[in-house]
Amino acid sequence: MSLAIALLTVSDRRSADPSSGDPSGDALRQRLEAAGHHLVERRLVPDNRYAIRAALSTWIADPAVQVVISSGGTGLTGRDGTPEAVAPLLDKTIEGFGELFRVLSFESIGTSTLQSRCLAGVANGTILFVLPGSLDAVATAWDRLIRAQLDDATQPCNLVQLLPRLNEDPRRPATSPGVGKGVG
């Protein structure tokens, strides 16, 4: 199943000098297209929580965008504010994403992984992944976590199969077949 994915790069350096390129964004684009997904839009914003929220809010409100992946701004410096920008927009967080990412990242960068504040969640039926900006981090996240969860063939469950149910009214009983299957 092909998903509509938007990419956001958060970087003061790259937004100030667009000629510096965006290797992490390029890597994500290549990977999502190789997996058969469609890139809806790609943006570059400075590490400013309001610029980040503005870009994300546009995609979250657009029913055509199913997944948003951001890279950059997840560190601990005073300018790193992507998690703080994204968290208030989320309806639900996917706690296991950050936990698993740090476990996998530990294999290549050791204890430095505890500085990663990556996260994932759902907002208005859109799945969001917030990644560190390094090429190694986006490769680890896509290759070892995101790709499989955006593949409807991944068993026993995947995020694709949940997409139609993400905006269910919690006050109404579930009526779709397969309710109760998967993790939940």
Side-chain angles (χ1 to χ4, degrees):
M1 176 177 192
S2 178
L3 299 175
I5 301 176
L7 295 178
L8 180 68
T9 298
V10 177
S11 173
D12 287 333
R13 187 171 10 106
R14 288 187 178 87
S15 59
D17 178 13
S19 67
S20 66
D22 180 13
S24 294
D26 293 343
L28 284 169
R29 179 185 190 148
Q30 292 167 356
R31 282 168 163 78
L32 75 88
E33 290 176 345
H37 301 299
H38 169 69
L39 179 65
V40 175
E41 189 175 356
R42 183 173 169 185
R43 291 187 195 169
L44 172 67
V45 298
D47 203 338
N48 172 290
R49 75 177 57 192
Y50 302 104
I52 296 165
R53 284 182 191 156
L56 294 176
S57 293
T58 300
W59 291 328
I60 291 167
D62 184 347
V65 177
Q66 297 168 294
V67 178
V68 175
I69 304 172
S70 76
S71 62
T74 64
L76 295 173
T77 72
R79 296 288 304 156
D80 292 320
T82 306
E84 290 77 15
V86 175
L89 301 175
L90 297 177
D91 300 321
K92 294 184 179 182
T93 57
I94 305 171
E95 301 293 340
F97 178 79
E99 295 164 355
L100 278 173
F101 175 82
R102 284 181 283 280
V103 167
L104 296 171
S105 182
F106 181 81
E107 295 171 4
S108 61
I109 65 169
T111 60
S112 296
T113 193
L114 58 81
Q115 296 178 34
S116 172
R117 299 181 312 130
C118 65
L119 65 109
V122 176
N124 192 36
T126 304
I127 299 167
L128 286 91
F129 296 99
V130 177
L131 310 178
S134 76
L135 186 55
D136 184 57
V138 298
T140 297
W142 179 271
D143 296 346
R144 301 195 57 198
L145 294 171
I146 298 171
R147 180 175 38 112
Q149 281 300 297
L150 298 185
D151 181 346
D152 60 349
T154 298
Q155 294 298 319
C157 57
N158 57 70
L159 293 172
V160 177
Q161 71 191 44
L162 297 178
L163 280 169
R165 298 188 54 207
L166 292 178
N167 280 329
E168 287 178 334
D169 184 342
R171 299 166 294 174
R172 304 189 83 195
T175 57
S176 62
V179 171
K181 292 184 179 178
V183 177

